[in-house]
Amino acid sequence: MSTTGESLSTQDEVTAEIGAVQQRYRDDVAAGRQHTVDTLLDFPPYRSSELRHPTKDPHLVDPETIELVSPAFGHWEVAPIEADLTNRHVGGEPQGQRMVVTGRVLDGNGRPVRHQLVELWQANAGGRYIHQRDRHPAPLDPNFTGAGRVITDDEGRYRFTTIKPGAYPWRNHLNAWRPAHIHFSIFGNAFTQRLVTQMYFPDDPLFALDPIYQSIPDQKARDRLIATYDHELTTPEWALGFRWDIVVDGPQATWFEQDGDQA
Amino acid sequence: MSRLPRTPGQTVGPFFHYGTEWPRMNEVVAPFSPGSVLLEGVVYDGAGEPVPDVMLEIWSADSDGTIPTAPGVIGRDGHTFTGFGRAHTRPDGHYEFWTREPGPVDERAPFYSMAVFARGLLDVLHTRVYLPDDAGLHTSDPFLAKLTDEERATVIATRTAEGSLRHDLRLQGDGETVFIRF
Ligand SMILES: [Fe+2]
């Protein structure tokens, strides 16, 4: 199935495919034919994955020293203003619902990931990226570029001030819309923990329809990508507050124990 | 002891460029500086087409086998070896890094640890890029020893006539790059 062909699938067809792939995954795990994974790489409902997923299982390796550590980042490398996506332009405030997004980056043992880089990028309130290849005919916002970064503190905390991104259409299938999301890139305590993901907002009606969000077959795992609205974090007369903790893990516990099966 | 469940990965999407770049991010060391090497290649998809929207990262020891601990990945100062670089593929699928050739750590065959992100790729892929001139260490390497000749060739860079390192990645199909999990 081609994304560029004249015959795009309907949403109903894609939704049915999502259900079928997830059911097959669950059956394969139950029958011991498949490792549990968080995110399926071979996920035909996401059309662009067709030619970009490996067909072979990754080889299990013992991590070496370099893989068990991460690059170092200094607080001096990132200016405080890079955590505020609403205040980087003398021209004025961006359009949209101002909000604070904060949380902690933790490892699987609950230890903070200190002094590591968190990057974020997102669409504007109308669902448009500043990226030149974004063709969505929603207005660009001259006061919003939609990218920020921060170095986590001693407790692994990050905090961004931004605006809530809009949902946006894409050409995966007919009438395809991505749920509102913010892209995150996170460094852990080891390079094996490197993570790029997307944060979503509670109760989005587009969740069930989105082949990217649904590429995670387990509902509990999907739920971990959804931020929590936090009224304590909400600032009167200023901004809504959302909290989202991020857990990076590995090498252990990324997969279940079938470790002896790799030739 | 119960572990916290990991946050799942999601694709880097099509619009990552402006959110993940900084000046000289692919220059782990200054181009043409003493001891520097160009590591370059093309990323291909399952149809053999170059992939123009890939984000690649390398992370390695210094040429004497030292594990880098100094910051300065974003605030490059031009002389501190941080070991980390990031590159976005060009419209023709080509990437390049300027870095040093890692030396052996713990007497093991040296390699660049590489992370791969792309539109259409739903989660990170990890691989390694070994150096072409370490045949002796390759023979005794527990990971390389388990691979077929064809698989091994996908994780060892080649030396160009100019002395650069050439390393193509194939996400799928014939000559598919060996990816790893830990
Ligand atoms: Fe997006």
Coordinates of all heavy atoms in Angstrom, one line a residue, chain B residues 56-147:
Chain B
L56 N 20.9 10.3 12.6 CA 21.8 9.3 13.1 C 22.7 9.9 14.2 O 23.0 11.1 14.2 CB 22.8 9.0 11.9 CG 22.3 8.1 10.8 CD1 23.5 7.9 9.8 CD2 21.8 6.8 11.3
E57 N 23.0 9.1 15.2 CA 23.9 9.6 16.2 C 25.0 8.6 16.4 O 24.8 7.3 16.3 CB 23.1 9.7 17.5 CG 22.1 10.8 17.5 CD 21.2 11.0 18.7 OE1 21.2 10.0 19.6 OE2 20.5 12.0 18.8
I58 N 26.2 9.1 16.6 CA 27.4 8.2 17.0 C 27.9 8.6 18.3 O 27.8 9.8 18.8 CB 28.5 8.3 15.9 CG1 29.0 9.7 15.7 CG2 28.1 7.7 14.6 CD1 30.3 9.8 15.0
W59 N 28.5 7.6 19.0 CA 29.0 7.8 20.4 C 30.1 6.8 20.5 O 29.9 5.6 20.3 CB 27.8 7.5 21.4 CG 28.2 7.4 22.8 CD1 27.8 6.3 23.6 CD2 28.9 8.3 23.7 NE1 28.2 6.5 24.9 CE2 28.9 7.7 24.9 CE3 29.5 9.5 23.4 CZ2 29.5 8.3 26.0 CZ3 30.2 10.1 24.5 CH2 30.2 9.5 25.8
S60 N 31.3 7.3 20.8 CA 32.4 6.4 20.8 C 33.5 6.8 21.8 O 33.6 8.0 22.2 CB 33.1 6.2 19.5 OG 33.8 7.4 19.1
A61 N 34.4 5.9 22.1 CA 35.7 6.2 22.8 C 36.6 7.1 22.0 O 36.5 7.2 20.7 CB 36.4 5.0 23.2
D62 N 37.5 7.7 22.6 CA 38.6 8.5 21.9 C 39.6 7.5 21.3 O 39.5 6.3 21.6 CB 39.3 9.4 22.9 CG 39.9 10.6 22.2 OD1 40.2 10.6 21.0 OD2 40.3 11.6 22.9
S63 N 40.5 8.0 20.5 CA 41.4 7.1 19.8 C 42.4 6.3 20.7 O 42.9 5.3 20.3 CB 42.2 7.9 18.8 OG 42.7 9.1 19.3
D64 N 42.5 6.8 22.0 CA 43.3 6.1 22.9 C 42.5 5.1 23.8 O 43.0 4.6 24.8 CB 44.1 7.0 23.8 CG 43.3 7.9 24.6 OD1 42.0 7.8 24.5 OD2 43.8 8.7 25.4
G65 N 41.2 5.0 23.5 CA 40.3 4.1 24.2 C 39.7 4.8 25.4 O 39.0 4.1 26.2
T66 N 39.9 6.0 25.6 CA 39.3 6.7 26.8 C 37.8 7.0 26.5 O 37.4 7.4 25.4 CB 40.0 8.1 26.9 OG1 41.4 7.9 27.0 CG2 39.5 8.8 28.2
I67 N 37.0 6.7 27.5 CA 35.6 7.0 27.5 C 35.4 8.5 27.7 O 35.8 9.0 28.8 CB 34.8 6.2 28.5 CG1 35.1 4.7 28.3 CG2 33.3 6.5 28.4 CD1 34.5 4.1 27.1
P68 N 34.8 9.2 26.8 CA 34.6 10.7 27.0 C 33.7 11.0 28.2 O 32.7 10.4 28.3 CB 34.0 11.2 25.7 CG 34.2 10.1 24.7 CD 34.2 8.8 25.5
T69 N 34.1 12.0 29.0 CA 33.3 12.4 30.1 C 33.1 13.9 30.1 O 32.3 14.4 30.9 CB 33.9 12.0 31.4 OG1 35.2 12.6 31.5 CG2 34.0 10.5 31.6
A70 N 33.7 14.6 29.2 CA 33.6 16.1 29.2 C 32.4 16.5 28.4 O 32.0 16.0 27.4 CB 34.8 16.7 28.5
P71 N 31.7 17.5 29.0 CA 30.5 18.1 28.3 C 31.1 18.9 27.1 O 32.3 19.1 26.9 CB 29.8 19.0 29.3 CG 30.9 19.3 30.3 CD 31.9 18.2 30.3
G72 N 30.1 19.5 26.3 CA 30.5 20.3 25.2 C 30.0 19.8 23.9 O 30.5 20.2 22.8
V73 N 29.0 18.9 23.9 CA 28.4 18.3 22.7 C 27.6 19.4 21.9 O 27.8 19.5 20.7 CB 27.4 17.2 23.1 CG1 26.5 16.9 21.9 CG2 28.2 16.0 23.5
I74 N 26.9 20.3 22.6 CA 26.2 21.4 22.0 C 27.1 22.6 21.9 O 27.2 23.3 20.9 CB 24.9 21.7 22.8 CG1 23.9 20.5 22.7 CG2 24.2 22.9 22.2 CD1 22.7 20.6 23.6
G75 N 27.7 22.9 23.0 CA 28.6 24.0 23.1 C 30.0 23.6 22.7 O 31.0 23.6 23.5
R76 N 30.2 23.2 21.4 CA 31.5 22.7 20.9 C 32.5 23.8 21.1 O 32.3 24.9 20.6 CB 31.4 22.3 19.5 CG 30.3 21.2 19.2 CD 31.0 20.0 18.5 NE 30.1 19.0 18.0 CZ 29.9 17.8 18.6 NH1 30.5 17.5 19.7 NH2 29.0 16.9 18.1
D77 N 33.7 23.4 21.7 CA 34.8 24.4 21.8 C 35.9 24.2 20.8 O 36.8 24.9 20.8 CB 35.3 24.4 23.2 CG 36.0 23.1 23.6 OD1 36.3 22.2 22.7 OD2 36.2 22.8 24.8
G78 N 35.8 23.1 20.0 CA 36.7 23.0 18.9 C 37.9 22.1 19.3 O 38.7 21.8 18.5
H79 N 38.1 21.8 20.6 CA 39.2 21.0 21.0 C 38.9 19.8 22.0 O 39.6 18.9 22.0 CB 40.4 21.8 21.5 CG 40.0 22.7 22.7 ND1 40.0 22.2 24.0 CD2 39.5 23.9 22.8 CE1 39.6 23.1 24.8 NE2 39.3 24.2 24.1
T80 N 37.8 19.9 22.7 CA 37.4 18.9 23.7 C 36.8 17.7 22.9 O 35.8 17.9 22.1 CB 36.5 19.4 24.7 OG1 37.1 20.5 25.4 CG2 36.1 18.3 25.7
F81 N 37.3 16.5 23.1 CA 36.6 15.4 22.5 C 35.5 14.9 23.3 O 35.6 14.3 24.4 CB 37.6 14.2 22.3 CG 37.1 13.1 21.5 CD1 36.9 13.1 20.1 CD2 36.6 11.9 22.2 CE1 36.4 12.1 19.4 CE2 36.1 10.9 21.5 CZ 35.9 10.9 20.1
T82 N 34.2 15.1 22.8 CA 33.0 14.7 23.6 C 32.5 13.3 23.1 O 31.7 12.7 23.8 CB 31.9 15.7 23.3 OG1 31.5 15.7 21.9 CG2 32.3 17.1 23.7
G83 N 33.0 12.8 22.0 CA 32.6 11.5 21.5 C 31.3 11.3 20.9 O 31.0 10.3 20.3
F84 N 30.4 12.4 21.0 CA 29.1 12.3 20.5 C 28.8 13.2 19.3 O 29.2 14.4 19.3 CB 28.0 12.6 21.6 CG 26.6 12.6 21.1 CD1 25.9 11.4 21.1 CD2 26.0 13.7 20.7 CE1 24.6 11.3 20.6 CE2 24.6 13.7 20.2 CZ 24.0 12.5 20.2
G85 N 28.2 12.7 18.3 CA 27.8 13.5 17.1 C 26.4 13.1 16.6 O 25.9 12.0 16.8
R86 N 25.8 14.0 16.0 CA 24.4 13.8 15.4 C 24.4 14.3 13.9 O 25.0 15.4 13.7 CB 23.4 14.5 16.2 CG 22.0 14.4 15.6 CD 21.0 15.2 16.4 NE 20.6 14.6 17.7 CZ 19.9 15.2 18.6 NH1 19.5 16.5 18.5 NH2 19.6 14.6 19.7
A87 N 23.8 13.6 13.1 CA 23.7 14.0 11.7 C 22.3 13.8 11.1 O 21.7 12.8 11.5 CB 24.7 13.3 10.8
H88 N 21.8 14.7 10.3 CA 20.6 14.4 9.6 C 21.0 14.1 8.1 O 21.8 14.7 7.6 CB 19.7 15.7 9.5 CG 19.2 16.2 10.9 ND1 18.9 17.5 11.2 CD2 19.0 15.5 12.0 CE1 18.5 17.6 12.4 NE2 18.6 16.4 13.0
T89 N 20.3 13.0 7.6 CA 20.7 12.7 6.2 C 20.2 13.8 5.3 O 19.2 14.5 5.5 CB 20.0 11.4 5.7 OG1 18.6 11.4 6.0 CG2 20.7 10.2 6.4
R90 N 20.9 14.0 4.2 CA 20.6 15.0 3.2 C 19.4 14.4 2.3 O 19.1 13.3 2.4 CB 21.8 15.3 2.2 CG 23.0 15.8 3.0 CD 24.1 16.2 2.0 NE 24.4 15.2 0.9 CZ 25.6 15.0 0.4 NH1 26.6 15.8 0.9 NH2 25.8 14.1 -0.5
P91 N 18.9 15.3 1.4 CA 17.9 14.7 0.5 C 18.3 13.5 -0.3 O 17.4 12.7 -0.7 CB 17.6 15.9 -0.4 CG 17.9 17.1 0.4 CD 19.1 16.7 1.3
D92 N 19.6 13.3 -0.5 CA 20.0 12.1 -1.2 C 20.4 11.0 -0.2 O 21.1 10.0 -0.6 CB 21.2 12.4 -2.1 CG 22.5 12.9 -1.3 OD1 22.3 13.1 -0.1 OD2 23.5 13.1 -1.9
G93 N 20.0 11.1 1.0 CA 20.2 10.0 2.0 C 21.6 9.9 2.6 O 21.9 9.0 3.3
H94 N 22.5 10.9 2.2 CA 23.9 10.8 2.6 C 24.0 11.5 4.0 O 23.3 12.5 4.3 CB 24.7 11.6 1.6 CG 26.2 11.6 1.9 ND1 26.8 12.7 2.6 CD2 27.2 10.8 1.5 CE1 28.1 12.4 2.7 NE2 28.3 11.3 2.1
Y95 N 24.9 10.9 4.8 CA 25.2 11.5 6.1 C 26.8 11.6 6.2 O 27.5 10.9 5.5 CB 24.7 10.7 7.3 CG 25.5 9.4 7.5 CD1 26.6 9.4 8.4 CD2 25.1 8.2 6.9 CE1 27.3 8.2 8.6 CE2 25.9 7.1 7.1 CZ 27.0 7.1 7.9 OH 27.7 5.9 8.1
E96 N 27.2 12.5 7.1 CA 28.7 12.5 7.4 C 28.9 13.0 8.8 O 28.2 13.9 9.3 CB 29.5 13.2 6.3 CG 29.2 14.7 6.2 CD 30.1 15.3 5.1 OE1 30.1 14.8 4.0 OE2 30.7 16.4 5.4
F97 N 30.0 12.4 9.4 CA 30.5 12.9 10.6 C 32.0 13.1 10.5 O 32.7 12.4 9.8 CB 30.4 11.8 11.7 CG 28.9 11.5 12.1 CD1 28.3 10.4 11.6 CD2 28.3 12.3 13.1 CE1 27.0 10.1 12.0 CE2 27.0 12.0 13.4 CZ 26.3 10.9 12.9
W98 N 32.5 14.1 11.2 CA 33.9 14.2 11.5 C 34.2 13.8 12.9 O 33.6 14.4 13.8 CB 34.4 15.7 11.2 CG 34.6 16.0 9.8 CD1 33.6 16.6 9.0 CD2 35.7 15.7 9.0 NE1 34.1 16.7 7.7 CE2 35.4 16.2 7.7 CE3 37.0 15.2 9.2 CZ2 36.3 16.1 6.6 CZ3 37.9 15.1 8.2 CH2 37.5 15.5 6.9
T99 N 35.0 12.8 13.1 CA 35.3 12.4 14.4 C 36.7 11.8 14.5 O 37.5 12.0 13.6 CB 34.2 11.4 14.9 OG1 34.5 11.0 16.2 CG2 34.2 10.1 14.0
R100 N 37.0 11.0 15.5 CA 38.3 10.2 15.5 C 37.9 8.8 15.5 O 36.8 8.4 15.8 CB 39.0 10.5 16.8 CG 39.6 11.9 16.9 CD 40.4 12.2 18.2 NE 40.7 13.6 18.3 CZ 40.8 14.2 19.4 NH1 40.7 13.6 20.6 NH2 41.1 15.5 19.5
E101 N 38.9 8.0 15.1 CA 38.7 6.5 15.2 C 38.9 6.0 16.6 O 39.9 6.3 17.2 CB 39.7 5.8 14.2 CG 39.4 6.2 12.8 CD 40.2 5.4 11.8 OE1 40.8 4.4 12.2 OE2 40.3 5.8 10.6
P102 N 37.9 5.4 17.1 CA 38.0 4.9 18.5 C 39.1 3.9 18.7 O 39.4 3.1 17.8 CB 36.6 4.3 18.8 CG 36.1 4.0 17.5 CD 36.6 5.0 16.5
G103 N 39.7 3.9 19.9 CA 40.7 2.9 20.2 C 40.0 1.8 21.0 O 38.9 2.0 21.5
P104 N 40.7 0.7 21.2 CA 40.1 -0.4 21.9 C 39.8 -0.1 23.4 O 40.7 0.6 24.0 CB 41.2 -1.5 21.8 CG 42.1 -1.2 20.7 CD 42.0 0.3 20.7
V105 N 38.7 -0.4 23.9 CA 38.3 -0.3 25.3 C 38.3 -1.7 25.9 O 37.7 -2.6 25.2 CB 36.9 0.3 25.5 CG1 36.6 0.5 26.9 CG2 36.9 1.7 24.8
D106 N 38.9 -2.0 27.0 CA 39.0 -3.3 27.6 C 39.5 -4.4 26.5 O 39.0 -5.5 26.5 CB 37.6 -3.8 28.1 CG 37.0 -2.7 29.0 OD1 37.7 -2.0 29.7 OD2 35.7 -2.6 28.9
E107 N 40.4 -3.9 25.7 CA 41.0 -4.8 24.6 C 40.0 -5.4 23.7 O 40.2 -6.5 23.2 CB 41.9 -5.9 25.3 CG 43.0 -5.3 26.1 CD 43.8 -6.3 26.9 OE1 43.4 -7.5 26.9 OE2 44.7 -5.9 27.7
R108 N 38.8 -4.8 23.6 CA 37.8 -5.3 22.6 C 37.9 -4.5 21.3 O 38.4 -3.3 21.3 CB 36.4 -5.1 23.3 CG 36.3 -5.8 24.6 CD 36.2 -7.3 24.4 NE 34.9 -7.7 23.9 CZ 33.9 -8.0 24.7 NH1 34.0 -7.9 26.0 NH2 32.7 -8.3 24.1
A109 N 37.4 -5.1 20.3 CA 37.4 -4.4 19.0 C 36.6 -3.1 19.1 O 35.5 -3.1 19.6 CB 36.7 -5.3 17.9
P110 N 37.2 -2.0 18.7 CA 36.6 -0.7 18.9 C 35.5 -0.5 17.8 O 35.5 -1.0 16.7 CB 37.7 0.3 18.7 CG 38.7 -0.4 17.9 CD 38.6 -1.8 18.2
F111 N 34.5 0.3 18.2 CA 33.4 0.6 17.3 C 32.7 2.0 17.7 O 32.9 2.5 18.8 CB 32.3 -0.5 17.4 CG 31.7 -0.7 18.7 CD1 30.6 0.0 19.2 CD2 32.3 -1.6 19.6 CE1 30.1 -0.2 20.4 CE2 31.7 -1.8 20.9 CZ 30.6 -1.1 21.3
Y112 N 32.0 2.5 16.7 CA 31.1 3.6 17.0 C 29.7 3.0 17.4 O 29.2 2.2 16.7 CB 30.8 4.5 15.8 CG 32.1 5.2 15.3 CD1 32.8 4.6 14.2 CD2 32.6 6.3 15.9 CE1 33.9 5.2 13.7 CE2 33.7 6.9 15.4 CZ 34.4 6.4 14.3 OH 35.5 7.0 13.8
S113 N 29.2 3.4 18.6 CA 27.8 3.0 18.9 C 26.9 3.9 18.1 O 27.2 5.1 18.0 CB 27.6 3.2 20.4 OG 26.3 2.8 20.7
M114 N 25.9 3.4 17.4 CA 25.1 4.2 16.5 C 23.6 4.0 16.8 O 23.2 2.9 17.0 CB 25.4 3.9 15.0 CG 24.6 4.8 14.0 SD 25.0 4.4 12.3 CE 26.4 5.5 12.0
A115 N 22.9 5.2 16.9 CA 21.4 5.1 17.0 C 20.8 5.7 15.8 O 21.3 6.7 15.3 CB 21.0 5.9 18.3
V116 N 19.7 5.1 15.3 CA 19.1 5.5 14.1 C 17.6 5.8 14.4 O 16.9 5.0 15.0 CB 19.1 4.3 13.1 CG1 18.5 4.7 11.7 CG2 20.5 3.7 12.9
F117 N 17.2 7.0 13.9 CA 15.8 7.4 14.0 C 15.4 7.9 12.6 O 16.2 8.5 11.9 CB 15.7 8.6 15.0 CG 16.3 8.4 16.3 CD1 17.7 8.7 16.5 CD2 15.6 7.9 17.4 CE1 18.2 8.5 17.8 CE2 16.1 7.7 18.6 CZ 17.5 8.0 18.8
A118 N 14.1 7.7 12.2 CA 13.7 8.2 10.9 C 12.2 8.3 10.9 O 11.5 7.6 11.7 CB 14.1 7.2 9.8
R119 N 11.7 9.2 10.0 CA 10.3 9.1 9.7 C 10.0 7.7 9.2 O 10.8 7.1 8.4 CB 10.0 10.1 8.6 CG 8.5 10.1 8.1 CD 8.3 11.1 7.1 NE 8.8 10.8 5.8 CZ 8.2 10.0 4.9 NH1 7.0 9.5 5.1 NH2 8.8 9.7 3.7
G120 N 8.9 7.1 9.5 CA 8.6 5.7 9.1 C 9.2 4.6 10.0 O 8.9 3.5 9.8
L121 N 10.1 5.0 10.9 CA 10.7 4.1 11.8 C 10.1 4.4 13.2 O 10.3 5.4 13.7 CB 12.3 4.3 11.8 CG 13.1 3.4 12.6 CD1 12.9 1.9 12.3 CD2 14.6 3.7 12.5
L122 N 9.4 3.4 13.7 CA 8.6 3.7 14.9 C 9.3 3.8 16.2 O 8.8 4.3 17.2 CB 7.4 2.7 15.0 CG 6.3 3.0 14.0 CD1 5.4 1.8 13.7 CD2 5.4 4.1 14.6
D123 N 10.5 3.2 16.2 CA 11.3 3.3 17.4 C 12.8 3.3 17.0 O 13.2 3.1 15.9 CB 11.0 2.1 18.4 CG 11.4 2.4 19.8 OD1 11.9 3.5 20.1 OD2 11.1 1.5 20.7
V124 N 13.6 3.7 18.0 CA 15.1 3.7 17.8 C 15.6 2.4 17.3 O 15.1 1.3 17.7 CB 15.8 4.2 19.0 CG1 15.6 3.2 20.2 CG2 17.3 4.4 18.8
L125 N 16.6 2.4 16.4 CA 17.4 1.2 16.2 C 18.9 1.4 16.6 O 19.4 2.5 16.4 CB 17.4 0.9 14.7 CG 16.1 0.5 14.0 CD1 16.3 0.4 12.5 CD2 15.6 -0.8 14.6
H126 N 19.4 0.4 17.3 CA 20.8 0.5 17.7 C 21.7 -0.4 16.8 O 21.2 -1.5 16.4 CB 21.0 0.1 19.1 CG 20.5 1.0 20.1 ND1 21.2 2.1 20.6 CD2 19.3 1.0 20.8 CE1 20.4 2.8 21.5 NE2 19.3 2.1 21.6
T127 N 22.9 0.1 16.5 CA 23.8 -0.8 15.8 C 25.2 -0.4 16.2 O 25.4 0.5 17.1 CB 23.6 -0.7 14.2 OG1 24.5 -1.6 13.6 CG2 23.8 0.7 13.7
R128 N 26.2 -1.0 15.6 CA 27.6 -0.7 15.8 C 28.3 -0.5 14.5 O 27.9 -1.2 13.5 CB 28.3 -1.7 16.6 CG 27.8 -1.9 18.1 CD 28.5 -3.1 18.8 NE 28.1 -3.2 20.2 CZ 28.5 -4.2 20.9 NH1 29.2 -5.2 20.4 NH2 28.1 -4.2 22.2
V129 N 29.3 0.4 14.4 CA 30.1 0.5 13.2 C 31.6 0.2 13.6 O 32.2 1.0 14.3 CB 30.0 1.9 12.7 CG1 30.8 2.1 11.4 CG2 28.5 2.3 12.4
Y130 N 32.1 -0.9 13.2 CA 33.5 -1.3 13.6 C 34.4 -0.7 12.5 O 34.0 -0.4 11.4 CB 33.6 -2.8 13.6 CG 32.9 -3.5 14.9 CD1 31.6 -3.7 14.9 CD2 33.7 -3.7 16.0 CE1 31.0 -4.3 16.0 CE2 33.1 -4.3 17.1 CZ 31.8 -4.6 17.1 OH 31.2 -5.1 18.2
L131 N 35.7 -0.7 12.9 CA 36.7 -0.2 12.0 C 37.3 -1.3 11.1 O 37.4 -2.4 11.5 CB 37.8 0.5 12.8 CG 37.4 1.6 13.8 CD1 38.6 2.0 14.6 CD2 36.8 2.7 13.0
P132 N 37.7 -0.9 9.8 CA 38.1 -1.9 8.9 C 39.5 -2.5 9.2 O 39.8 -3.6 8.6 CB 38.1 -1.2 7.6 CG 38.3 0.3 7.9 CD 37.6 0.5 9.2
D133 N 40.2 -1.9 10.0 CA 41.6 -2.3 10.2 C 41.9 -3.2 11.4 O 43.1 -3.3 11.8 CB 42.6 -1.1 10.2 CG 42.2 -0.1 9.2 OD1 41.9 -0.5 8.0 OD2 42.1 1.1 9.5
D134 N 40.9 -3.7 12.0 CA 41.0 -4.4 13.3 C 40.7 -5.9 13.1 O 40.1 -6.5 14.0 CB 40.1 -3.8 14.4 CG 40.5 -2.4 14.7 OD1 41.7 -2.1 14.8 OD2 39.6 -1.6 14.9
A135 N 41.1 -6.5 12.0 CA 40.7 -7.9 11.7 C 41.1 -8.8 12.9 O 40.3 -9.7 13.2 CB 41.4 -8.3 10.5
G136 N 42.2 -8.6 13.5 CA 42.6 -9.5 14.6 C 41.6 -9.5 15.8 O 41.1 -10.5 16.3
L137 N 41.2 -8.2 16.2 CA 40.3 -8.1 17.3 C 38.9 -8.6 16.8 O 38.1 -9.0 17.7 CB 40.2 -6.6 17.7 CG 41.4 -6.1 18.5 CD1 41.3 -4.6 18.7 CD2 41.5 -6.8 19.8
H138 N 38.6 -8.4 15.6 CA 37.2 -8.9 15.1 C 37.1 -10.4 15.3 O 36.0 -10.9 15.6 CB 37.0 -8.5 13.6 CG 36.9 -7.1 13.4 ND1 36.9 -6.5 12.1 CD2 36.8 -6.0 14.2 CE1 36.8 -5.2 12.2 NE2 36.8 -4.9 13.4
T139 N 38.1 -11.1 15.0 CA 38.1 -12.6 15.1 C 37.7 -13.0 16.5 O 36.9 -14.0 16.7 CB 39.4 -13.2 14.7 OG1 39.9 -12.6 13.5 CG2 39.3 -14.7 14.6
S140 N 38.1 -12.3 17.5 CA 37.9 -12.8 18.9 C 36.7 -12.0 19.5 O 36.4 -12.3 20.6 CB 39.1 -12.5 19.7 OG 39.5 -11.1 19.7
D141 N 36.0 -11.2 18.7 CA 34.9 -10.4 19.3 C 33.7 -11.3 19.4 O 33.2 -11.9 18.4 CB 34.6 -9.2 18.4 CG 33.6 -8.3 19.0 OD1 34.0 -7.4 19.8 OD2 32.4 -8.5 18.8
P142 N 33.1 -11.4 20.6 CA 31.9 -12.3 20.8 C 30.7 -11.9 20.0 O 30.0 -12.8 19.6 CB 31.6 -12.2 22.3 CG 32.3 -10.9 22.8 CD 33.5 -10.7 21.9
F143 N 30.5 -10.7 19.7 CA 29.4 -10.3 18.9 C 29.7 -10.6 17.4 O 28.9 -11.3 16.7 CB 29.1 -8.8 19.1 CG 28.1 -8.2 18.0 CD1 26.9 -8.7 17.8 CD2 28.6 -7.1 17.3 CE1 26.0 -8.2 16.8 CE2 27.7 -6.5 16.3 CZ 26.5 -7.1 16.1
L144 N 30.8 -10.1 16.9 CA 31.1 -10.3 15.5 C 31.2 -11.8 15.1 O 30.9 -12.3 14.0 CB 32.4 -9.6 15.1 CG 32.3 -8.1 15.1 CD1 33.7 -7.5 14.9 CD2 31.3 -7.6 14.1
A145 N 31.8 -12.6 16.1 CA 32.0 -14.0 15.8 C 30.7 -14.8 15.6 O 30.7 -15.8 14.9 CB 32.8 -14.7 17.0
K146 N 29.6 -14.3 16.1 CA 28.3 -15.0 15.9 C 27.7 -14.6 14.6 O 26.7 -15.3 14.3 CB 27.4 -14.6 17.1 CG 27.7 -15.4 18.4 CD 26.6 -15.2 19.4 CE 26.5 -13.9 20.0 NZ 25.6 -13.8 21.1
L147 N 28.2 -13.7 13.9 CA 27.5 -13.2 12.7 C 28.0 -14.0 11.5 O 29.2 -14.5 11.5 CB 27.8 -11.7 12.4 CG 27.3 -10.8 13.5 CD1 27.7 -9.3 13.1 CD2 25.9 -10.9 13.8

